[in-house]
């Protein structure tokens, strides 16, 4: 395939993006689609279209995204989303500042040499794009003085990364501190999570044990505790009750619809009481569900009392009347033994994973290491199919394996697109199968909060992506040739692997292009959610709750989005000096991502949690990991091309490790805990401790009768005199 075909393929991707953008402009202007394209604004009581629908034009969303401020993002999507845009802006700045020098210096340096003509085997694109090879290190003669420019460029990219990531860390730290110093009352700032409770003494309940322990340590600020209970049975009853309520709402909506259609009395819906409603007695649905709800409510109330009194477990949430004490308690050692009275910051109420709270200290450690082993095995064994896919999903191999496709794939236009994008599409589809598995593994570690699970899964996905996509695909792309060479000359394995990395520059350029043109085009147009919403509304939804569930967008999905971005920055950094033409594609990916996701954050996605920027240390660590891999890659590549001054690059990875260590020592602790100077800021009103406490009660334990002041057992209050009521 010639270079012109490569450009044709990129042009095709660009055209697809333009079509999807125009589709978005047309579809988002229709009032019936507002809940798909503007759910965040609608849920906050704002008008979907800024300035009115009639003033809309195809580029209005771009103007609105560019004119939005960081405070707009915080107001509509929270601190975590604002931090994500700090990440996107930082990476974009790294690539732009690096690219200015690398493109202006390295491209002329490479293009004016003639190594490609002298040596046909010298390539960064497997010989497919000779014009591209002339713009890369493949066109530089071995041991040439021109290599000095490329060596210095490695340090330039590193310096830019250090400076911008340092500034970003300071910025995110300030955002987090400002949010935590807010005079608004946040329930999680008045609570701590206590795990690994010791065995209770005879004659004492778990609730009395917790209350007396913290009352003795914090006599003036201890408010109340909530002992974690075994909610398995009560959750099941509550879920069944909620199911009947949804069915009742749906049935009533159907009945009201029959009245609106002209029948003054309407047609009362009926159903059979047997298996799946297919057999049994025919009954009036509204009466039947009302009766079921009445019975289930009584059953729920009885089970709630039993659960709170008799099913108390070895963990609790403890509440204090001021947030300084809560912050202090979360950072203090409460017992001499590490596996007793473990106190940590309490997550948001909506983040708690109740089933993980009672897992014991050493069990959590064992689970953690078991998950690490499973992840390692997954990475190793996933390399086999991914390497195999990258080896066979070439047009040449597919024509051999599936000869009946020859008439189709031999057409010029189809052949051009398939040659450029077939392996990348296969890889993207294959990777889409992984995130749910990694989320499951992270959850079974015993992590107590949803945001922490997402961070853990994101880290696993990043390592998987780098090792399998960046390294696995690189090796797999030359798998068949490499195996033959190694068989003939076993000692050639290391240099062969080193040389195979730059040989995949074109693959990764097209991979990045596919991700930002087609990926962000689909993200903006929301074609799939739109189709699903209209199908569900037409055929499945009857009640307002069902309709809302059909269009509710969810959050921005950091568990997959952040690792995907990290993979791109890893690829672009590692090829930035070898083939600088990849930098504009990286810039386009993050610039377009910033623009499209800015629109989505302001109008579409609804955050499912707020961790006040706790994802940032994870992001910074992976940026440093990408930089370190880049530096090691360049060190190895310069060694392969036998440049005498390669040892000059040895300090680069050492400097990166040192920089990372300094950043972690300076900033990281403030992300693990709330600084006392932050927690000591005054609130604008006295916190309602009862509301704070009730926000943590699991839905299945919330009393049906709101006039009930409190439950006994696990939710009982300790009075200021030390008695239990």
């Amino acid at each position: 395939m010639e270079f012109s075909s490569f450009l044709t393929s990129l042009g095709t991707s660009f055209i697809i993006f333009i079509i999807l953008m125009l589709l978005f402009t047309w579809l988002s202007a229709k009032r019936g689609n507002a809940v798909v394209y503007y759910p965040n604004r609608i849920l906050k009581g704002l008008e979907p279209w800024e300035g009115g629908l009639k003033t809309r034009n195809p580029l209005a969303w771009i103007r609105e995204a560019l004119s939005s401020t960081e405070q707009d993002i915080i107001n509509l999507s929270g601190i975590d989303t604002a931090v994500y845009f700090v990440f996107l802006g930082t990476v974009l700045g790294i690539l732009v500042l690096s690219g200015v020098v690398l493109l202006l210096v390295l491209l002329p340096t490479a293009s004016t040499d003639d190594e490609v003509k002298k040596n046909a085997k010298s390539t960064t694109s497997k010989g497919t794009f000779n014009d591209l090879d002339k713009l890369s290190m493949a066109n530089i003669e071995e041991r040439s003085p021109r290599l000095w420019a490329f060596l210095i460029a490695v340090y330039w990219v590193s310096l830019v990364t250090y400076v911008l990531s340092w500034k970003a860390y300071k910025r995110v730290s300030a955002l987090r501190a400002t949010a935590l110093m807010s005079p608004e009352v946040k329930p999680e700032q008045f609570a701590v999570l206590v795990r690994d409770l010791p065995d209770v003494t005879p004659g004492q309940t778990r609730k009395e044990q917790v209350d007396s322990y913290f009352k003795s340590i914090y006599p003036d600020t201890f408010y109340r505790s909530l002992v974690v209970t075994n909610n398995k049975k009560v959750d099941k009853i509550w879920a069944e009750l909620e199911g009947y309520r949804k069915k009742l709402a749906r049935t009533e909506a159907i009945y009201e619809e029959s009245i609106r259609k002209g029948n003054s009395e309407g047609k009362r819906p009926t159903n059979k009481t047997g298996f799946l409603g297919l057999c049994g007695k025919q009954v009036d649905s509204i009466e039947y569900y009302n009766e079921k709800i009445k019975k289930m409510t009584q059953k729920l109330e009885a089970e709630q009392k039993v659960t709170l009194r008799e099913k108390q477990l070895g963990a609790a949430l403890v509440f204090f009347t001021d947030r300084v004490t809560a912050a202090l308690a979360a950072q203090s050692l409460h017992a001499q033994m590490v596996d007793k009275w473990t106190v940590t910051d309490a997550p948001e109420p909506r983040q708690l994973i109740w089933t993980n709270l009672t897992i014991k200290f050493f069990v959590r450690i064992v689970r953690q290491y078991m998950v690490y082993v499973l992840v390692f095995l997954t990475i190793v064994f996933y390399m086999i199919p991914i390497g195999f896919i990258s080896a066979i999903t070439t047009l040449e191999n597919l024509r051999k394996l599936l000869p009946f496709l020859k008439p189709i794939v031999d057409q010029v236009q189809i052949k051009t697109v398939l040659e450029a994008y077939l392996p990348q599409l296969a890889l993207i589809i294959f990777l889409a199968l992984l995130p749910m598995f990694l989320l499951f593994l992270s959850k079974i570690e015993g992590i107590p909060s949803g945001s922490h699970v997402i961070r853990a899964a994101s880290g696993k996905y990043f390592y998987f992506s780098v090792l399998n996509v960046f390294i696995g695909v690189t090796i797999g792309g030359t798998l068949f040739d490499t195996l033959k060479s190694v068989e003939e000359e076993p000692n050639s394995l290391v240099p062969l692997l080193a040389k195979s990395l730059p040989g995949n520059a074109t693959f990764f350029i097209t991979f990045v292009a596919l991700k930002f043109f087609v990926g962000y085009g689909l993200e903006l147009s929301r074609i799939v959610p739109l189709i699903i919403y209209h199908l569900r509304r037409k055929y499945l939804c009857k009640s307002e709750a069902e309709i809302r569930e059909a269009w509710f967008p969810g959050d921005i999905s950091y568990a997959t989005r952040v690792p995907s971005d990290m993979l791109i920055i890893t690829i672009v950094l590692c090829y930035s000096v070898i083939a600088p033409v990849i930098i504009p594609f990286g810039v386009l990916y993050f610039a377009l991502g910033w623009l499209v996701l800015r629109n989505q954050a302001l109008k579409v996605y609804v955050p499912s949690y707020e961790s006040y920027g706790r994802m940032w240390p994870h992001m910074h660590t992976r940026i440093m990991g990408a930089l370190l891999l880049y530096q090691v890659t360049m060190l190895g590549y310069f060694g392969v091309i036998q440049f005498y001054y390669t040892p000059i690059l040895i300090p680069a990875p050492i400097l990166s490790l040192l920089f990372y260590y300094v950043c972690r020592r300076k900033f990281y602790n403030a992300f693990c805990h709330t600084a006392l100077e932050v927690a000591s800021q005054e609130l604008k009103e006295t916190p309602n401790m009862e509301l704070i406490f009730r926000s943590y009660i699991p839905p299945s334990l919330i009393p049906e009768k709101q006039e009930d002041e409190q439950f006994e057992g696990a939710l009982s209050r300790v009075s200021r005199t030390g008695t239990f009521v």
Side-chain angles (χ1 to χ4, degrees):
M1 182 166 58
E2 298 298 327
F3 189 65
S4 58
S5 299
F6 173 66
L7 294 178
T8 302
S9 300
L10 294 180
T12 303
S13 298
F14 178 71
I15 291 171
I16 291 173
F17 174 77
I18 295 298
I19 292 171
L20 290 171
M21 187 178 74
L22 293 175
L23 255 178
F24 158 75
T25 304
W26 175 56
L27 293 171
S28 63
K30 295 184 176 297
R31 292 193 178 275
N33 297 335
V35 291
V36 176
Y37 293 100
Y38 304 95
N40 192 2
R41 292 182 61 83
I42 290 172
L43 288 171
K44 287 182 170 59
L46 303 173
E47 284 294 323
W49 298 278
E50 296 180 18
L53 180 57
K54 294 182 179 179
T55 63
R56 303 295 291 176
N57 64 72
L59 301 180
W61 69 275
I62 297 177
R63 174 182 54 79
E64 290 161 3
L66 291 173
S67 62
S68 64
T69 64
E70 187 173 68
Q71 192 58 48
D72 294 331
I73 295 293
I74 293 172
N75 293 339
L76 286 164
S77 288
I79 296 294
D80 287 331
T81 307
V83 169
Y84 178 63
F85 283 103
V86 171
F87 160 71
L88 291 179
T90 300
V91 173
L92 183 59
I94 290 170
L95 296 182
V96 169
L97 289 179
S98 299
V100 167
V101 173
L102 268 59
L103 292 173
L104 292 179
V105 175
L106 300 189
L107 289 186
T109 303
S111 61
T112 53
D113 210 339
D114 57 357
E115 178 65 11
V116 170
K117 292 181 180 179
K118 294 179 182 178
N119 184 4
K121 293 182 180 180
S122 181
T123 177
T124 60
S125 58
K126 296 183 181 177
T128 55
F129 304 132
N130 289 330
D131 293 330
L132 180 62
D133 293 335
K134 294 175 184 177
L135 302 176
S136 69
M137 285 185 72
N139 202 35
I140 303 294
E141 186 178 357
E142 289 186 359
R143 305 186 185 91
S144 169
R146 292 171 182 252
L147 291 172
W148 272 106
F150 293 85
L151 188 146
I152 294 171
V154 174
Y155 277 101
W156 168 248
V157 174
S158 302
L159 179 62
V160 169
T161 304
Y162 298 150
V163 172
L164 294 187
S165 61
W166 178 272
K167 292 179 66 176
Y169 223 138
K170 290 182 67 176
R171 177 61 189 151
V172 174
S173 295
L175 282 175
R176 176 176 169 83
T178 302
L180 293 175
M181 286 190 293
S182 169
E184 302 292 334
V185 174
K186 298 178 175 65
E188 62 274 13
Q189 290 187 304
F190 293 85
V192 294
L193 173 62
V194 186
R195 306 169 84 181
D196 308 309
L197 301 183
D199 295 335
V200 295
T201 57
Q204 187 182 43
T205 66
R206 180 69 75 183
K207 182 71 174 63
E208 291 169 343
Q209 176 198 35
V210 175
D211 286 349
S212 60
Y213 183 83
F214 283 93
K215 179 70 174 175
S216 65
I217 300 175
Y218 307 98
D220 298 323
T221 53
F222 173 73
Y223 174 71
R224 196 171 180 178
S225 67
L226 189 161
V227 175
V228 177
T229 53
N230 183 348
N231 298 339
K232 186 176 181 180
K233 187 173 181 180
V234 75
D235 283 345
K236 184 178 179 181
I237 297 172
W238 180 79
E240 192 174 349
L241 175 60
E242 288 298 302
Y244 282 125
R245 284 173 174 161
K246 288 181 180 179
K247 289 177 181 178
L248 177 62
R250 178 183 176 85
T251 303
E252 289 175 339
I254 293 172
Y255 179 55
E256 290 173 4
E257 186 179 356
S258 70
I259 295 175
R260 288 196 302 268
K261 287 184 176 179
N263 188 344
S264 58
E265 295 183 359
K267 183 180 178 181
R268 301 279 293 187
T270 61
N271 67 281
K272 294 182 178 180
T273 59
F275 179 71
L276 296 177
L278 300 175
C279 58
K281 182 182 176 182
Q282 191 88 6
V283 295
D284 181 288
S285 297
I286 294 177
E287 293 179 359
Y288 175 74
Y289 292 135
N290 272 316
E291 185 63 27
K292 280 289 185 181
I293 289 171
K294 183 179 178 181
K295 290 181 179 179
M296 293 303 300
T297 300
Q298 294 173 349
K299 187 176 180 181
L300 178 65
E301 289 174 351
E303 183 58 35
Q304 285 175 336
K305 292 178 180 179
V306 172
T307 299
L308 293 169
R309 288 175 178 171
E310 302 176 9
K311 298 183 180 181
Q312 300 177 19
L313 300 176
L317 288 155
V318 175
F319 299 86
F320 301 95
T321 55
D322 71 81
R323 52 187 186 179
V324 173
T325 306
L328 188 62
Q331 302 174 46
S332 301
L333 184 67
H334 285 76
Q336 291 191 15
M337 297 296 110
V338 70
D339 60 337
K340 296 289 188 292
W341 296 103
T342 305
V343 182
T344 57
D345 292 290
E348 277 185 317
R350 56 183 171 174
Q351 288 193 51
L352 279 169
I353 303 175
W354 292 94
T355 54
N356 282 355
L357 301 187
T358 56
I359 299 174
K360 291 294 185 180
F361 181 83
F362 290 111
V363 176
R364 296 197 299 268
I365 293 176
V366 171
R367 285 191 179 202
Q368 189 177 47
Y369 283 108
M370 287 177 64
V371 167
Y372 289 164
V373 171
L374 280 173
V375 171
F376 173 76
L377 293 175
T378 302
I379 290 173
V380 170
F381 286 104
Y382 240 67
M383 275 188 179
I384 297 171
I386 283 186
F388 184 70
I389 283 175
S390 66
I392 68 168
T393 51
T394 62
L395 208 55
E396 185 73 23
N397 287 328
L398 283 181
R399 289 173 83 255
K400 293 177 183 178
L401 295 172
L402 304 172
F404 62 89
L405 292 177
K406 285 183 181 181
I408 299 174
V409 300
D410 286 345
Q411 295 184 33
V412 177
Q413 295 84 353
I414 296 176
K415 182 179 179 182
T416 298
V417 175
L418 288 179
E419 281 183 328
Y421 290 127
L422 185 62
Q424 291 86 342
L425 279 171
L427 178 61
I428 290 171
I429 293 170
F430 205 67
L431 287 174
L433 304 174
L434 192 67
M436 292 304 296
F437 176 64
L438 295 180
L439 282 168
F440 168 75
L441 287 182
S442 298
K443 188 174 180 180
I444 65 173
E445 284 184 46
I447 294 172
S449 70
S451 63
H452 192 175
V453 165
I454 288 174
R455 292 197 300 274
S458 178
K460 295 176 179 67
Y461 196 45
F462 168 75
Y463 296 125
F464 178 90
S465 299
V466 169
L467 291 172
N468 281 287
V469 178
F470 180 65
I471 297 176
V473 168
T474 299
I475 297 173
T478 55
L479 184 62
F480 296 145
D481 295 334
T482 301
L483 288 176
K484 185 177 179 180
S485 300
V486 172
E487 184 180 354
E488 295 174 355
E489 195 176 343
N491 293 331
S492 67
L493 179 60
V494 174
L496 278 172
L497 295 182
K499 291 178 181 178
S500 69
L501 187 63
N504 285 275
T506 303
F507 174 91
F508 286 117
I509 288 174
T510 50
F511 178 81
V512 174
L514 188 65
K515 291 278 285 184
F516 70 74
F517 275 141
V518 179
Y520 283 129
L522 290 171
E523 171 70 53
L524 180 67
S525 64
R526 288 181 62 78
I527 293 295
V528 175
L530 180 71
I531 293 171
I532 292 173
Y533 163 68
H534 282 294
L535 287 175
R536 290 181 65 180
R537 181 170 185 179
K538 184 174 179 63
Y539 298 108
L540 299 176
C541 299
K542 296 297 180 182
S543 66
E544 288 297 322
E546 289 175 333
I547 293 173
R548 184 183 182 278
E549 186 179 338
W551 59 254
F552 191 78
D555 60 20
I556 208 165
S557 302
Y558 295 114
T560 54
R561 195 175 297 279
V562 171
S564 295
D565 294 339
M566 291 297 179
L567 175 61
I568 299 300
I569 185 60
T570 302
I571 291 170
V572 176
L573 280 180
C574 287
Y575 283 95
S576 59
V577 173
I578 295 172
V581 291
I582 201 174
I583 295 177
F585 292 93
V587 169
L588 276 173
Y589 175 88
F590 286 101
L592 197 58
W594 187 95
L595 192 64
V596 170
L597 292 173
R598 195 87 167 179
N599 177 81
Q600 307 301 78
L602 291 168
K603 299 168 184 174
V604 179
Y605 292 121
V606 179
S608 60
Y609 65 85
E610 178 62 80
S611 68
Y612 307 104
R614 277 291 280 116
M615 179 67 89
W616 173 254
H618 163 93
M619 293 173 172
H620 183 265
T621 298
R622 272 66 192 180
I623 292 174
M624 289 297 103
L627 181 67
L628 190 64
L629 183 60
Y630 153 71
Q631 292 167 337
V632 172
T633 299
M634 294 310 303
L635 184 61
Y637 187 58
F638 273 98
V640 166
I641 61 176
Q642 301 176 25
F643 186 52
Y644 289 127
Y645 301 98
T646 299
I648 293 176
L649 287 176
I650 292 176
I654 298 173
L655 285 173
S656 293
L657 292 171
L658 182 62
F659 175 77
Y660 171 72
Y661 174 78
V662 171
C663 287
R664 190 172 182 87
R665 295 291 294 178
K666 182 176 178 65
F667 299 110
Y668 185 70
N669 285 343
F671 284 84
C672 289
H673 303 289
T674 301
L676 297 183
E677 67 176 2
V678 171
S680 64
Q681 299 299 309
E682 291 186 6
L683 297 169
K684 68 179 182 181
E685 60 183 21
T686 303
N688 186 328
M689 294 305 301
E690 191 64 21
L691 288 179
I692 291 173
F693 171 79
R694 286 185 175 273
S695 68
Y696 276 94
I697 300 176
S700 61
L701 292 178
I702 296 175
E704 291 292 317
K705 298 177 182 178
Q706 293 300 318
E707 64 269 15
D708 287 351
E709 281 298 317
Q710 56 199 315
F711 276 68
E712 297 179 5
L715 306 188
S716 64
R717 182 199 301 272
V718 59
S719 71
R720 291 301 176 201
T721 60
T723 59
F724 296 92
V725 296

